[in-house]
Amino acid sequence: MPKLAEVITKSDIEKPRSPRGLRKFVCCRREKVKAVTSERHAAIQKKGIYKEFFDEIIPLSIFALKIYPNTYKIKPILGNQAYDAIVTDTHGKFIEYIELTFPHDGQRDAKDAKLIVSRGYGKCHVYSPGEDIERLCQFIQKTCSEKAKKNYSNCTLVIVIAFLPPSKQDHRLYSQKINQVETLVQSISFKAKRVFLLLLEQYKILKVHG
């Protein structure tokens, strides 16, 4: 049975790829992980390299595909440096760094992940329409305030927002809630080249600074 390191490795993740190549790599690895129970459980709980893969590399693959030409190269970098990826152009010239941040309720998500692995489903969280985004705002505010203290002047900052797609009748309400999130993030003074919101499940990108 494949081991974790055989499904996803640091060296494999950090290979420079075109935006389409990175997205293909991510989708391929996700399918391989799903096929092995032990790997799927490790991924659900974001153990080891899976935390970076899900919190950084998957959002990065969506962002890069929508923002950069396919002649560019995206090189993810795992570690504690002040960025998560390096972008170069067709000739290998440096374009910019990318830093991704993923505001979420880490404690609740970790508890849910354990339940999913142990019994097959997590705790049911019931919200009124838009309440999930309102709850998420406290984590967005906290995360962005921390990021605003750091210098990202040569870096594009991507704030990853994850929530379940709304029902058709609630689209207008959710659009209003997202506008409120935009206003919240715009009110924060970042030392960054550009700042984007990435609505992960909707594959949508909103530019809020720069």
Side-chain angles (χ1 to χ4, degrees), residues 9 15 19 68 107 119 125 135 178 192 203:
T9 67
K15 288 181 181 177
Y68 304 108
Q107 289 186 341
R119 70 184 189 186
H125 302 285
R135 184 179 183 278
I178 292 301
Y203 286 43

Side-chain angles (χ1 to χ4, degrees), residues 58-96:
I58 290 177
L60 174 64
S61 71
I62 296 170
F63 179 77
L65 194 63
K66 288 185 168 290
I67 294 296
Y68 304 108
N70 202 52
T71 53
Y72 278 24
K73 295 292 184 183
I74 316 298
K75 178 178 172 59
I77 305 291
L78 303 184
N80 296 319
Q81 67 287 327
Y83 53 87
D84 296 313
I86 301 171
V87 183
T88 54
D89 69 9
T90 309
H91 307 290
K93 181 181 177 182
F94 173 81
I95 298 297
E96 64 181 354

Side-chain angles (χ1 to χ4, degrees), residues 137-153:
C137 277
Q138 63 181 300
F139 300 100
I140 296 171
Q141 174 77 60
K142 181 179 178 180
T143 299
C144 289
S145 295
E146 289 298 317
K147 290 294 181 182
K149 297 175 184 177
K150 301 179 180 180
N151 187 357
Y152 294 109
S153 56

Side-chain angles (χ1 to χ4, degrees), residues 126-171:
V126 179
Y127 298 107
S128 301
E131 188 181 352
D132 50 343
I133 297 183
E134 289 178 4
R135 184 179 183 278
L136 189 58
C137 277
Q138 63 181 300
F139 300 100
I140 296 171
Q141 174 77 60
K142 181 179 178 180
T143 299
C144 289
S145 295
E146 289 298 317
K147 290 294 181 182
K149 297 175 184 177
K150 301 179 180 180
N151 187 357
Y152 294 109
S153 56
N154 61 348
C155 189
T156 284
L157 180 61
V158 182
I159 302 161
V160 183
I161 309 296
F163 59 92
L164 293 176
S167 58
K168 188 174 181 180
Q169 62 265 31
D170 292 326
H171 276 178

